[in-house]
Amino acid sequence: MVFKKTFPRNPGQFLVVCLAFTGLLSKVPALKDRGDKVASDEYLTNQVNLYKQLCEEAKYNSLKLAQRDKVQEELRILLKKLLHFLEAVAEESDIAIIQESGIELIKPHKKKASRPTPAA
């Protein structure tokens, strides 16, 4: 199982993805026993709330725009780590919950065998 690890650049769309992740944290049993391998629920929720606040403030202040972009990049890294962790520990029963939250599964690409070049 492989999850899509690209996120929208648009702040509003990215916020929707972040909110989906925060809702997912309490629903998936595999995420409850993650220890310190991935960011805690509280830290991720605080970062998403900060990002939400900066999205509003960035409409009127260019300094807040730079701060919002920095927090967005930090969240992007956190979410990728969370997805890698999920790929490693999620069970079949967790996959339905994950997909319901809006996280996309993608099929891994198989490499095609290259054809040998004909001898001249």
Side-chain angles (χ1 to χ4, degrees), residues 108-116:
H109 298 284
K110 294 182 180 178
K111 290 185 178 181
K112 292 183 180 178
S114 61
R115 294 184 184 182

Side-chain angles (χ1 to χ4, degrees), residues 76-96:
R76 187 179 309 282
I77 292 167
L78 286 174
L79 296 180
K80 282 185 181 182
K81 287 180 182 179
L82 187 63
L83 285 173
H84 283 290
F85 182 78
L86 270 175
E87 286 176 354
V89 301
E91 298 173 1
E92 291 297 320
S93 60
D94 299 330
I95 293 182

Side-chain angles (χ1 to χ4, degrees), residues 65-82:
L65 183 69
Q67 289 175 340
R68 182 203 66 198
D69 292 345
K70 183 180 176 187
V71 172
Q72 181 175 349
E73 190 56 36
E74 290 172 11
L75 277 169
R76 187 179 309 282
I77 292 167
L78 286 174
L79 296 180
K80 282 185 181 182
K81 287 180 182 179
L82 187 63

Side-chain angles (χ1 to χ4, degrees), residues 7-72:
F7 303 103
R9 288 276 178 204
N10 179 292
Q13 294 172 348
F14 185 71
L15 182 59
V16 169
V17 171
C18 290
L19 293 172
F21 269 94
T22 55
L24 180 69
L25 294 174
S26 61
K27 294 179 184 175
V28 178
L31 289 175
K32 293 181 182 178
D33 301 328
R34 68 182 184 271
D36 60 347
K37 296 175 183 132
V38 184
S40 68
D41 296 358
E42 183 180 332
Y43 181 73
L44 187 59
T45 303
N46 287 341
Q47 288 296 97
V48 170
N49 289 337
L50 174 62
Y51 181 71
K52 187 176 182 180
Q53 177 186 354
L54 288 172
C55 281
E56 285 298 315
E57 293 174 2
K59 293 176 183 176
Y60 310 106
N61 186 339
S62 60
L63 179 62
K64 298 293 182 180
L65 183 69
Q67 289 175 340
R68 182 203 66 198
D69 292 345
K70 183 180 176 187
V71 172
Q72 181 175 349

Side-chain angles (χ1 to χ4, degrees), residues 87-107:
E87 286 176 354
V89 301
E91 298 173 1
E92 291 297 320
S93 60
D94 299 330
I95 293 182
I97 299 169
I98 294 167
Q99 285 181 314
E100 285 174 11
S101 72
I103 310 302
E104 295 181 47
L105 280 172
I106 56 173
K107 294 180 181 178

